Amino acid sequence: MSAHDDVYVEHKSGQAFGETVDRLVETIRKAGMNLFAKIDHAAGAKEVGLTMPPAVVLIYGHAKGGTPVMQAAPKAALDLPLRVLVRENDRGEILIAFHPVAHMLAPYAVPDELVDRLAKAQLLLVGGI
């Protein structure tokens, strides 16, 4: 794991890219959360004649976790639902990355107990790889 000033966290996956994405999707669904979108940046690049290493962003969450946060701090809706990036780096390593919710929601003064609930949803993904 590497951290960059607590605003960006990466974890190495021991699985191939596709398997990592599939496992994260499965973990999200098994936890009762919703997968709202799967954005394939490499596929988008290919559509316009460009190339880039595999990179997919999953947008996920659940109203039971996000709604209380937005009720406490409506502007937090700009940063929800949660997102996780799966990417392959230049060494062929598969990484999952996210902005930790504690840092992401700090500007909105969201109560710690609400932040902790979302942090658990992020950490659940790390356990799934």
Side-chain angles (χ1 to χ4, degrees):
M1 179 178 100
S2 64
H4 307 283
D5 299 327
D6 80 349
V7 299
Y8 180 83
V9 176
E10 285 188 329
H11 297 270
K12 287 184 186 178
S13 171
Q15 310 300 321
F17 182 83
E19 187 175 343
T20 298
V21 172
D22 291 346
R23 289 182 106 179
L24 291 175
V25 168
E26 181 182 335
T27 299
I28 288 165
R29 291 193 173 132
K30 280 186 176 180
M33 294 183 283
N34 300 307
L35 179 64
F36 297 113
K38 179 180 177 184
I39 302 166
D40 187 335
H41 289 297
K46 186 176 181 179
E47 288 178 8
V48 296
L50 301 172
T51 61
M52 65 179 286
V56 168
V57 173
L58 302 176
I59 301 174
Y60 70 99
H62 196 285
K64 286 184 179 181
T67 302
V69 170
M70 292 181 282
Q71 288 172 327
K75 292 177 186 177
L78 287 170
D79 291 310
L80 296 174
L82 297 173
R83 294 172 299 283
V84 61
L85 166 66
V86 182
R87 70 182 187 94
E88 182 177 321
N89 68 14
D90 56 359
R91 294 182 303 277
E93 298 169 318
I94 307 306
L95 305 168
I96 69 163
F98 52 83
H99 297 286
V101 293
H103 178 79
M104 185 174 66
L105 297 178
Y108 310 117
V110 174
D112 289 343
E113 63 271 10
L114 298 178
V115 172
D116 290 345
R117 289 173 60 187
L118 296 183
K120 287 177 184 173
Q122 286 184 318
L123 294 177
L124 182 68
L125 296 183
V126 175
I129 57 166

